[in-house]
Every structure is written in C-alpha cells, then in structure tokens.
Amino acid sequence: MAQASDRWEDNAEGPYYIDKSCSMCNLCTEIAPDNIREAPEGDHCYISRQPEAGDETTNLQDAIDQCPCEAIGKEE
Ligand code: SF4
C-alpha cells in the first residue's frame, strides 16, 4: 500500500501521489498519460498534474488498481 510519507517530492501538490516503491514499469503512464509522467532522472514516475475531469480520475483509479508495486496512492 502506498505511503504518503514516502511520496516523491516532485508529485504535483494534491491528494494523488506516487511513493518511492515505484519500480518504473511505466504501466501507469500508459493508463493515465495526462496525469502521470516519467521523471527526467528515469528512476520513477510522478503525478505531473492532479486530475480535473472525471475521465482523469477514472484513469488514475485504474492506475492505482493495476500498479504492481502499489506505489500510487490518494490521501483522503
Ligand atoms: S505502475 Fe506503479 S510501479 Fe509502474 S511506473 Fe507506475 S507507479 Fe511505478
């Protein structure tokens, strides 16, 4: 389960985040390309923009559900 206290510093400010257990498989950038990007360092992905439209929220939830490392989370 993702840990907010372990989130990458480059996540966009807001409830969704990616933590440091990300293995850089890149699945989430395919599922939610409008909101998740690969870091320039090439060692993790991060939330580049918090979701706005309903489709973006749906895609991010799919990324949370499918991330093999459970590295994507949402603070309530
Ligand atoms: S799906 Fe999970 S492990 Fe894969 S790149 Fe995204 S956050 Fe990292």
Side-chain angles (χ1 to χ4, degrees):
M1 185 174 175
Q3 300 291 329
S5 59
D6 202 29
R7 62 194 282 160
W8 284 99
E9 294 78 9
D10 49 6
N11 285 293
E13 188 174 342
Y16 289 91
Y17 63 92
I18 293 178
D19 77 9
K20 294 179 181 172
S21 62
C22 169
S23 69
M24 199 57 227
C25 73
N26 256 331
L27 178 63
C28 59
T29 60
E30 296 174 16
I31 297 172
D34 294 332
N35 301 91
I36 300 176
R37 287 190 191 156
E38 179 181 338
E41 298 87 348
D43 62 349
H44 68 279
C45 286
Y46 67 102
I47 302 293
S48 55
R49 188 171 58 77
Q50 296 290 328
E52 293 173 4
D55 282 357
E56 292 181 353
T57 302
T58 300
N59 290 344
L60 266 180
Q61 186 59 52
D62 286 347
I64 289 172
D65 293 342
Q66 295 183 46
C67 172
C69 298
E70 299 185 358
I72 312 172
K74 182 188 177 206
E75 289 189 279
E76 299 299 334

